[in-house]
Amino acid sequence: MTCYSNKPMNALIDKCMKEEEPRDICRFWYFKDESISVFDKDEMKAQFTQFKNTGYMKIEDFNNIMIKRNGRKFYVLVVQNKNMEKNPTCPMSSLGYGFMVSGFPYWFNTKKDRDDAVKIFKGEK
């Protein structure tokens, strides 16, 4: 596992955001590759449908907040395993955004896209 500090993590986030395509709606830490990845709407829908269908993932509304980073708003959605011992700590969240949380945080550009992901997870969309 790579050990990150604030400065390299912030540089990685900034680089990722500069390289994003207009269709990208959220970013997240891809634990397998220890890197940042992005989703467009179709990829997000597939991921949150998969989460919904597992039966062992949850969303706690109190984790779904808005955070500003360098003057830009991000709408956070955290998906967690119901067995809290299985939730990793996200280095991108803690070091790059100052948000310590266990689980799988997704950083959306808009509240609407974040809320749509919640609806897909809950089977409302």
Side-chain angles (χ1 to χ4, degrees):
M1 177 180 221
T2 304
C3 182
Y4 290 95
S5 67
N6 290 35
K7 190 173 181 178
M9 181 58 72
N10 279 298
L12 183 62
I13 292 169
D14 291 342
K15 180 181 182 298
C16 174
M17 290 174 52
K18 286 177 187 172
E19 295 174 355
E20 286 179 0
E21 300 290 329
R23 69 181 183 276
D24 296 330
I25 63 165
C26 73
R27 66 225 32 86
F28 60 96
W29 185 253
Y30 188 53
F31 286 91
K32 182 179 176 185
D33 289 344
E34 294 187 346
S35 64
I36 298 171
S37 192
V38 295
F39 279 156
D40 63 23
K41 285 187 186 219
D42 292 336
E43 293 164 328
M44 179 274 292
K45 184 175 182 178
Q47 178 66 66
F48 282 84
T49 298
Q50 181 181 359
F51 281 145
K52 174 186 75 165
N53 292 336
T54 66
Y56 57 82
M57 302 302 278
K58 67 178 181 174
I59 294 176
E60 298 284 359
D61 290 337
F62 59 82
N63 285 326
N64 303 335
I65 61 174
M66 186 275 294
I67 290 182
K68 284 187 179 180
R69 181 180 181 280
N70 296 336
R72 183 174 169 187
K73 291 181 182 179
F74 295 93
Y75 298 87
V76 185
L77 169 58
V78 180
V79 179
Q80 296 173 307
N81 191 299
K82 290 177 182 177
N83 178 348
M84 292 303 285
E85 293 177 7
K86 294 187 176 186
N87 289 311
T89 299
C90 176
M92 183 175 103
S93 296
S94 59
L95 297 173
Y97 292 89
F99 180 57
M100 180 66 90
V101 66
S102 62
F104 306 91
Y106 292 81
W107 300 84
F108 286 85
N109 296 331
T110 69
K111 184 178 184 309
K112 180 190 181 317
D113 286 333
R114 192 265 318 266
D115 293 348
D116 284 348
V118 172
K119 289 176 184 174
I120 291 166
F121 180 88
K122 292 181 177 180
E124 299 171 358
K125 186 168 184 161

